[in-house]
Amino acid sequence: MAERLQKVIAEAGIASRRKAEDLITSGKVKVNGEIVTELGTKVSRKDRIEVNNKPIEKQQKEYYLLNKPRGVISSVSDEKGR
């Protein structure tokens, strides 16, 4: 599945999406060895992406499922004093 380049850079922890856009427009990002300056460029997980000539590592997402038992309050403060 193809995703926007700035989103992939942001998810890798390199920069925020806005800063990633600045990196792209300034010519500091390469996809498969070619400099990309167009915003909204779509990339797949198979593409090799470099920022400042350093390859980025795509992180695998982890999901956690938590169970909060009935009657348990999970809050920083409780206005009812429970």
Side-chain angles (χ1 to χ4, degrees), residues 25-80:
T25 56
S26 64
K28 296 181 179 179
V29 178
K30 292 181 183 178
V31 176
N32 298 327
E34 295 186 22
I35 296 175
V36 175
T37 57
E38 185 177 332
L39 295 177
T41 301
K42 300 279 187 170
V43 295
S44 70
R45 293 289 174 185
K46 296 177 183 178
D47 290 325
R48 179 179 166 85
I49 303 167
E50 297 177 29
V51 177
N52 291 326
N53 294 318
K54 295 180 184 175
I56 65 169
E57 293 184 23
K58 299 167 190 138
Q59 297 178 353
Q60 188 71 20
K61 292 182 181 181
E62 292 183 19
Y63 296 94
Y64 297 94
L65 179 65
L66 302 175
N67 180 34
K68 182 181 75 70
R70 185 178 293 233
V72 173
I73 299 171
S74 56
S75 176
V76 174
S77 63
D78 181 18
E79 62 279 349
K80 295 185 180 180

